[in-house]
Amino acid sequence: MTEGASAAGLEVERLRVTRGGFRAGPFTFRAERGRVTSITGPNGCGKSTLLGSIAGLLPAVDGGVRFAGEGWSEKERTLVPPHQRSIGLLPQGLGLWPHLSVREQARLVGGGAEAIVEMAEALDLSGLLDRRPASLSGGEAQRAALLRAVAPRPALLLLDEPTGQQFPGTAARVREVIEGIAATGSTVLVVTHRAWPGASPVELFRRGGEPSGGAD
Amino acid sequence: MSAMKGEAGSRSEDPFASLLAVIVAGLLFIPALIWLGRGESAGELAPPAGMIEVLLRTVLVAGGGALGAWILGGCIGVLLAAYRAPFPLIRDPLLLSPFLLPSVVVTTAVQSWLAGGPLTPLIRGVPGAVLISTLQMAPLVMWIVTRSLRALPEEERLALRSSLSPAAVARQLGRRALPISARAAVLVFLLLVPRLEVPAYTGIETVGRRVLVAFTADGSDLEGWIWCVALLLLAAPLLPLAIRAIPSGRAPQAMGGTDPAAPRSLLATALVLLPAALPLVGLAGLAVDATGDGIAGGAEARRWSIALLRDLLRLAPLSILLSLIGWRIAVGIGDGVRARLLLALLAMPLVLPGCLPALIWIEGALPHLPRGLAETTLPLSTVQGLRFVAVAILLGRIADGSIPSAERAAARLLPPSVARRRIRLPRALPGVLAGAGLIFALLLGEVESAAQIAPPGRLLPAVELHQLLHYRYDVQAARLSLAIALVAGAWLLLLGALGERGGRRP
């Protein structure tokens, strides 16, 4: 990768990932700072696996991930552990901690009290901040997990189907919030089945195949 | 940001856990080195007589017991997960009762129950040892299996219940239980290999008994060490299987939890309760036997009550501390070669006869302790804790493995210490507490090191029980053992209820 390319924010180069017996990749693409980049592709092509590997939660077997010019992983080596990457993650399974309220979860990841209230209002979660995940509906739980991901204002936001469980009206609000985060300079990577309006697309065509939207 | 090399796997090594493991291992191995350094072990280096025969018999008894416990405990565990048995709060302590009772008591109870009938040949020799070991260890396998199966994600449980008949659900759960029950059976094998009481009471000679004789009676230390090495060689290939590879990614459930969608079944309940009932009925029959000589009077009962209370006060915090240490080592020690070596070291006291850590401490560490300290229960607690630290690590691994993978993945974006304190410990707490209950039962029934290292004048229930049985005061022994089981069951119940409360989803 060239020095000039590092300004792009996230750079993924020939990344190959394993998850159980499933091998995904190689993936090569860039995601710019201050923009939403959407990753689309059919079921089983490795979209969620790719996000897990960028976050440092799944081991890569080859290739590399760089962010803001800093190497995060190189081949099988993790250079920066997940908790030092300034990442906000909305995983497919949400991963909400059932013993903590929505507010406590957002505080725990480093969200400021005011930012949490502000973001909760934007996500229509104001009345739910002191509730625990078990008392939330599926859509509310997904927005709570999104709140936890965005509350610390991460430099890189990784979102797996962030509007998948939302009604159209709420989905539009969620999109606004995500685009607002991108506008503040964060790099936002969204895995989605449908195209994200205004986003830079990266399309993964076949199961574990090369992306066509990236610059490989 | 500083560069850091490491694996992306969820079990990366953390220095504090390794240090903790080294400290715990050092508590045994430093005294062992002092003991060995005395140079009194010189002798002829030759295999003891009948070594192969004794080894084979040991494998036969431990393997047979583990296989029996695997089949019986696995089936009960699956039935318990597939159907609803009544009284969930007391069900688990009741089912665990054969495991909670000291093995010498289970042996006596089963022998008295079966003696005189057509099953008399089953109470002595290898068949007797296998039968009694099966009955005592099946509850442990059952507990691990039930815990794993009850922890299936809710969506998966509902999908199973809505699309299959109860019998088909049980078959599906049985398939899922196979790997975890197999690992539990390996743990049972390791617990059975060094045992002394059951072989002694069924009249067979095993490696554990030969080690005891070598170190305490007419043998030589060298012969004892040769037997120890043989035991370690026997157990070494199985240690990684028992310690590693506990499946992860399941939702947590506290131990007394029941799947509300499970149907009730009287037949299943009866089948489940039968193995627990056998030793208990035998014991109760003995305890109410009015013809027994020397029935315990009020003074004796008071003496036992005080002894039990003092042991409860000693072992309750020790079991919780041990369970927490085991959990902390389990979540932080990693999967590398160094970690496996450390775990193998920590598992050694488990696969060697229980008297050995005590003997090592008596000769290696006690002379260097201040007299005031040496005459407290601290050395005994240390030795007993060292014996079961590997069990604590294994149970800690199971407790940590019950945290769903999505929650664990989300927690990995937090600094490790925050993730452990705020997410992993609270989420694993039901398992950690339930594990403390099991460890408490093991400690309460531990007699081998208790007999060696008990402070002067201190009455320990396990030792007292052993003496009562030795002098054939069967009625008193039955009563004391029922009291021991009651105390262990009550503590398990309390910890289970606490874990249930802590782990319940709001």
Side-chain angles (χ1 to χ4, degrees), chain A residues 68-208:
Chain A
E70 182 182 37
W72 277 2
S73 73
E74 195 179 299
K75 296 192 173 172
E76 292 174 347
R77 288 190 309 149
T78 301
L79 304 173
V80 178
H83 66 278
Q84 289 178 3
R85 293 187 180 190
S86 183
I87 283 176
L89 174 69
L90 172 68
Q92 210 168 23
L94 303 186
L96 284 168
W97 302 306
H99 61 298
L100 298 178
S101 69
V102 175
R103 189 194 307 273
E104 286 167 333
Q105 311 217 12
R107 288 301 297 267
L108 192 61
V109 297
E114 279 179 25
I116 291 170
V117 171
E118 186 188 317
M119 207 58 80
E121 205 168 311
L123 288 168
D124 200 15
L125 285 171
S126 295
L128 308 176
L129 276 176
D130 294 314
R131 301 242 303 254
R132 293 186 181 179
S135 65
L136 302 176
S137 71
E140 288 167 346
Q142 193 184 36
R143 296 205 301 281
L146 178 62
L147 172 65
R148 185 180 67 184
V150 300
R153 304 271 181 193
L156 174 62
L157 196 53
L158 303 171
L159 308 172
D160 201 340
E161 294 286 354
T163 57
Q165 298 182 41
Q166 307 299 329
F167 280 113
T170 328
R173 291 184 76 165
V174 167
R175 269 199 297 273
E176 270 174 36
V177 168
I178 292 169
E179 279 155 12
I181 297 280
T184 61
S186 294
T187 304
V188 180
L189 203 59
V190 177
V191 159
T192 175
H193 283 298
R194 292 177 293 273
W196 187 284
S200 313
V202 173
E203 241 176 281
L204 309 184
F205 275 125
R206 58 182 188 278
R207 192 178 169 87

Side-chain angles (χ1 to χ4, degrees), chain B residues 72-412:
Chain B
L72 187 61
C75 290
I76 297 173
V78 169
L79 280 174
L80 266 180
Y83 297 95
R84 280 163 79 188
F87 312 117
L89 195 62
I90 60 162
R91 183 195 53 213
D92 284 350
L94 178 70
L95 287 169
L96 275 169
S97 59
F99 179 70
L100 300 178
L101 289 165
S103 49
V104 64
V105 173
V106 178
T107 311
T108 314
V110 173
Q111 285 178 333
S112 73
W113 179 249
L114 297 179
L119 298 177
T120 306
L122 286 182
I123 63 174
R124 303 282 303 168
V126 172
V130 168
L131 174 71
I132 292 159
S133 302
T134 296
L135 285 175
Q136 206 191 3
M137 289 299 175
L140 182 64
V141 178
M142 170 216 77
W143 181 82
I144 293 175
V145 166
T146 314
R147 224 186 126 68
S148 305
L149 293 181
R150 280 187 201 148
L152 282 179
E154 198 178 347
E155 302 78 17
E156 203 172 328
R157 270 209 318 263
L158 288 176
L160 271 177
R161 296 277 178 219
S162 59
S163 56
L164 296 173
S165 69
V169 169
R171 277 199 299 276
Q172 284 297 323
L173 292 177
R175 274 198 206 115
R176 285 172 171 277
L178 265 180
I180 185 74
S181 59
R183 279 188 282 271
V186 171
L187 174 68
V188 167
F189 180 82
L190 293 177
L191 285 170
L192 289 177
V193 158
R195 283 208 140 183
L196 296 174
E197 297 108 315
V198 176
Y201 274 73
T202 49
I204 56 172
E205 194 167 28
T206 56
V207 177
R209 290 190 70 193
R210 291 294 285 264
V211 174
L212 183 66
V213 169
F215 282 120
T216 57
D218 53 355
S220 72
D221 282 6
L222 183 66
E223 186 184 332
W225 285 114
I226 291 172
W227 282 114
C228 287
V229 170
L231 263 185
L232 286 175
L233 289 177
L234 201 65
L238 295 167
L239 285 175
L241 278 178
I243 298 288
R244 291 179 61 228
I246 296 298
S248 60
R250 292 185 300 269
Q253 286 270 324
M255 124 173 224
T258 299
D259 181 358
R264 284 180 189 276
S265 163
L266 273 179
L267 178 65
T269 305
L271 284 173
V272 159
L273 292 178
L274 196 64
L278 188 63
L280 276 183
V281 170
L283 204 57
L286 270 176
V288 297
D289 184 2
T291 61
D293 57 336
I295 291 173
E300 192 122 65
R302 220 173 8 257
R303 209 162 63 91
W304 291 349
S305 304
I306 292 169
L308 269 171
L309 184 66
R310 289 177 80 187
D311 235 22
L312 176 70
L313 292 176
R314 178 176 72 91
L315 296 179
L318 177 64
S319 59
I320 292 176
L321 178 69
L322 204 56
S323 193
L324 284 170
I325 289 175
W327 168 82
R328 185 64 185 81
I329 291 176
V331 299
I333 196 154
D335 283 333
V337 175
R338 200 173 49 179
R340 284 181 211 172
L341 277 175
L342 263 178
L343 288 174
L345 280 181
L346 292 175
M348 276 189 193
L350 185 68
V351 296
L352 292 173
C355 59
L356 199 58
L359 291 171
I360 288 171
W361 252 66
I362 287 168
E363 303 205 24
L366 281 190
H368 303 283
L369 290 179
R371 197 172 164 198
L373 197 64
E375 289 180 358
T376 64
T377 51
L378 188 69
L380 173 63
S381 300
T382 309
V383 167
Q384 289 183 321
L386 286 172
R387 258 200 89 179
F388 297 118
V389 75
V391 177
I393 294 172
L394 185 77
L395 294 173
R397 200 107 173 179
I398 293 174
D400 188 59
S402 70
I403 303 172
S405 50
E407 285 179 39
R408 207 201 312 256
R412 288 185 61 208

